[in-house]
Amino acid sequence: MSWWRGSIKGLAPIESRIDLQLLQDSWRITPSSVLSQIPALLLLIWMVKDSPLPRWHWAAPAVGLMLVWAAVGLMTQRFQRFGIAASGYRTWRAALVGWHLLQSVLWGLMGVALLGVATSSWKMSLVAAVVVYGYTLMLVLVHDWIVGFFGSFPLLMLVSMRLLVDQEDSSVYLAVVLILSMITCMFISSGISRRLREGALLRHENAALVLQLRHEINQVTLAKALAEGADRQKSEFFAAASHDLRQPLHVMMLLTSALTPWVPKAEGQDLLSKISTSLKSLSTLFERMFDVASIDAERVEHQPQALALSTLYRRLDHEFAVLCANKGLSWQVDATDAWVQADPHLTERILRNLLNNAVRYTPQGHVHLRARVRGRWVLCQVWDSGVGVAREHRERIFDDYFQAHNTARRSGEGLGLGLAVVRRLARLGRVQVTVRSRLGRGSCFSLRLPLREAIVTPPPTALAASASHTDRKDPQQRGVVVVIDDEPQVLDSMALVLRQNGWQAATGTTPQIAVEAVAALQTTGDMPLGDLPVAVISDYRLGLSITGLEAIAQLRYEFGEELPAFLLTADATSDLGSRAASVGVTLLRKPLNPSELVRILDAA
């Protein structure tokens, strides 16, 4: 940019804004200097009106000053009303410089006239007044030194030249003082003006950076909100879709199990076994995916309570002893009588996932489940002699879809979500899971739970034990199980599996139809008169105005409050487990393995 700054065209946007702002500041501030010059001019006229100086020598400059000030007053009013647009920069800039240039020339002419008749003492007073005027103007216009220069240079030069014309030593001395003052003031004002402009440029750049940073932060915040919303929608979709996807898989598993007696040939049985294995793998994959989706969608509740680890370990022992035996692994359980404060379902799911991982990645050797009391804590540990985990992978094994030993992504080895579910469940339950491992030597996963006092329960009486013993029936006469579901395929499949395992099935899409089915069995003699159903299995979603829990309540009203009840669901509702447990109903998740169904009914 040139020193004149006559135009802002072609400048950077920031520099254009700065120059326009400086021009507006000049028109906002400097017109007030006229108010102090008017009394000075009037006083000067009063002092020289009776002097021998010809009147036109001082009257002409005085009239010129008044005309200039009148024009400045009009332009100031226009500025206050409309401001200065970027397109009008050149006009207002020229007007500002012209005003101060004319004002300086007119004051200089008046000074030249006064010096012609002034005494030595008055000359010094006039020079002092000129110096004060020049420095004051430079100070007021320090942000725009060019305007200050044009406003003071003509005055100083005219007065200096008039002093030099006198050829007196004192006048020459005063002229030199004025010229040196002018040069000094010009350089000082130029430097200050440059630094002020650089500071303004820096402020505008910082303001632009702040605005840009704020915009980027807003964009990042918006992108984060959109990503979190999309993630929540994804989790909500998977959690909601779990019912529709589990239902056909549940039917396929039931039908595959029911098909077993009808395939006598060895080749067919082998093929059926492979189909069953594939369905179990698919069921496991679904469970992992929907576990992750349910936790992310906050549909899994955390309800810590007093938990006896011996009871939990006994359940896990029954299941994993069979799995380890089938794989040729040594299985050992070291339980404890300690009680902990934890959510039973979350704790069992964490340990079950850790044990499944241990069995999967242990080709030979042993799997060991134990519990150790350490001060105010209990460590539930899963040991194995499997492949182990490399040091660089110990943190990543809890990430979604990461599998250190399945880089080929073989579907038979899962999706890599087992430990991801463990991480989410541990975070939900506010418990700590740690891992120690040596590559090729095995691993130890530890779950730390807070210790609490045991709850003493009275042992079962001999009468109750005798009753439970005498109530056992021949496996071929196990009784009637009531099944309620709004899907005919599920009813047919459940009835087929139950009949193949020695039960009679009374099915219905509503509680009323199920009661009628029980009565029909008594009428046909398939169920002795006076006998009651041994259990009820109801789907949660019945497509009616009632839920499975309400259907179970109606059947218990008909057949007794002690009727064992099972709620079968594919929903991921967070509080469903606690609601079912509060009324003595066991919650079962779809898809349900037929062998697991038989085991549960046997236990009931």
Side-chain angles (χ1 to χ4, degrees), residues 255-536:
L255 293 178
T256 303
S257 175
L259 190 60
T260 303
W262 302 96
V263 183
K265 294 183 179 181
E267 295 83 357
Q269 287 292 338
D270 182 62
L271 183 60
L272 195 61
S273 176
K274 292 179 179 179
I275 294 175
S276 179
T277 301
S278 298
L279 288 174
K280 289 179 182 178
S281 299
L282 183 60
S283 175
T284 302
L285 296 181
F286 271 11
E287 284 297 326
R288 296 290 181 267
M289 291 175 60
F290 292 133
D291 279 346
V292 170
S294 298
I295 298 171
D296 289 345
E298 300 180 353
R299 292 192 174 188
V300 177
E301 58 181 0
H302 172 231
Q303 293 185 337
Q305 56 187 269
L307 172 63
L309 285 179
S310 58
T311 304
L312 173 59
Y313 275 36
R314 195 178 305 117
R315 287 201 302 270
L316 296 173
D317 184 17
H318 293 159
E319 178 179 348
F320 286 93
V322 177
L323 292 178
C324 290
N326 291 338
K327 198 173 180 181
L329 302 176
S330 172
W331 167 254
Q332 182 180 353
V333 177
D334 290 340
T336 176
D337 293 332
W339 287 62
V340 294
Q341 183 72 12
D343 185 294
H345 302 293
L346 264 61
T347 305
E348 182 172 353
R349 289 170 70 180
I350 291 174
L351 291 176
R352 190 182 299 277
N353 281 10
L354 294 176
L355 287 169
N356 277 322
N357 243 41
V359 174
R360 174 176 295 155
Y361 294 112
T362 304
Q364 60 182 1
H366 68 272
V367 176
H368 186 185
L369 175 63
R370 74 176 193 176
R372 292 291 183 268
V373 178
R374 295 290 184 268
R376 298 183 298 106
W377 305 92
V378 177
L379 293 181
C380 300
Q381 297 179 324
V382 176
W383 294 77
D384 67 69
S385 58
V387 295
V389 181
R391 184 180 299 274
E392 62 269 19
H393 293 154
R394 289 181 191 171
E395 294 296 329
R396 294 192 61 196
I397 58 175
F398 292 96
D399 293 343
D400 295 349
Y401 308 110
F402 179 80
Q403 291 177 292
H405 303 287
N406 186 22
T407 55
R409 307 302 301 173
R410 291 183 292 272
S411 61
E413 296 187 21
L415 288 177
L417 289 174
L419 292 180
V421 172
V422 168
R423 172 174 58 86
R424 286 172 166 83
L425 292 174
R427 186 180 302 164
L428 178 64
R430 301 178 183 85
V431 295
Q432 183 181 10
V433 176
T434 57
V435 57
R436 290 180 294 161
S437 182
R438 294 181 62 183
L439 195 61
R441 300 288 298 274
S443 305
C444 172
F445 288 84
S446 300
L447 172 65
R448 192 177 74 165
L449 301 173
L451 182 68
R452 66 156 294 163
E453 295 181 0
I455 297 178
V456 180
T457 56
T461 61
L463 180 60
S466 175
S468 63
H469 176 75
T470 56
D471 282 347
R472 295 176 183 171
K473 295 187 178 182
D474 187 337
Q476 298 304 320
Q477 299 177 356
R478 290 178 170 179
V480 174
V481 176
V482 179
V483 182
I484 302 177
D485 201 296
D486 60 334
E487 292 285 344
Q489 287 184 331
V490 176
L491 289 177
D492 294 342
S493 303
M494 290 283 287
L496 186 57
V497 171
L498 289 172
R499 284 196 295 268
Q500 287 181 347
N501 287 276
W503 282 285
Q504 290 289 336
T507 63
T509 55
T510 65
Q512 293 79 9
I513 297 176
V515 171
E516 293 173 1
V518 172
L521 289 175
Q522 292 179 340
T523 302
T524 58
D526 293 327
M527 178 180 180
L529 292 174
D531 277 9
L532 297 176
V534 297
V536 56

Side-chain angles (χ1 to χ4, degrees), residues 13-15 17-18 21 199-209:
I14 293 180
E15 292 183 337
R17 288 198 299 269
I18 291 175
Q21 183 65 45
L201 181 61
L202 183 61
R203 285 198 308 274
H204 279 74
E205 289 177 348
N206 289 339
L209 288 175

Side-chain angles (χ1 to χ4, degrees), residues 44-232:
L44 189 60
I45 293 173
W46 179 77
M47 292 174 62
V48 302
K49 63 182 178 63
D50 297 328
S51 67
L53 183 67
R55 180 165 297 185
W56 67 271
H57 283 187
W58 58 264
V63 172
L65 283 172
M66 293 182 181
L67 292 176
V68 169
W69 292 340
V72 169
L74 294 175
M75 294 196 70
T76 302
Q77 290 182 352
R78 182 175 179 83
F79 165 74
Q80 291 175 348
R81 291 182 60 188
F82 303 106
I84 301 176
S87 58
Y89 178 86
R90 181 186 296 274
T91 302
W92 284 91
R93 173 75 174 173
L96 180 67
V97 174
W99 156 31
H100 285 285
L101 179 62
L102 287 174
Q103 182 175 266
S104 179
V105 170
L106 293 171
W107 275 117
L109 292 174
M110 183 169 288
V112 169
L114 293 176
L115 287 173
V117 297
T119 61
S120 297
S121 59
W122 273 103
K123 287 181 180 179
M124 293 183 62
S125 299
L126 288 173
V127 169
V130 169
V131 171
V132 171
Y133 176 85
Y135 271 88
T136 301
L137 190 62
M138 283 288 190
L139 181 63
V140 172
L141 294 170
V142 69
H143 59 280
D144 194 350
W145 78 275
I146 294 297
V147 178
F149 174 77
F150 279 109
S152 58
F153 179 77
L155 170 61
L156 295 173
M157 288 302 298
L158 287 172
V159 172
S160 299
M161 293 301 101
R162 180 64 185 81
L163 289 171
L164 291 174
V165 169
D166 288 346
Q167 298 294 320
E168 297 179 0
D169 291 341
S170 60
S171 298
V172 172
Y173 173 76
L174 291 175
V176 172
V177 170
L178 279 176
I179 293 173
L180 291 177
S181 298
M182 177 184 64
I183 295 174
T184 304
C185 185
M186 181 182 68
F187 279 104
I188 293 176
S189 177
S190 175
I192 295 175
S193 178
R194 184 177 62 256
R195 285 193 291 270
L196 286 175
R197 192 171 187 281
E198 291 173 352
L201 181 61
L202 183 61
R203 285 198 308 274
H204 279 74
E205 289 177 348
N206 289 339
L209 288 175
V210 169
L211 291 176
Q212 182 181 359
L213 180 60
R214 186 178 301 165
H215 175 72
E216 291 178 356
I217 290 175
N218 291 336
Q219 291 296 107
V220 171
T221 304
L222 178 61
K224 181 183 178 183
L226 291 175
E228 290 176 347
D231 188 62
R232 283 195 301 270

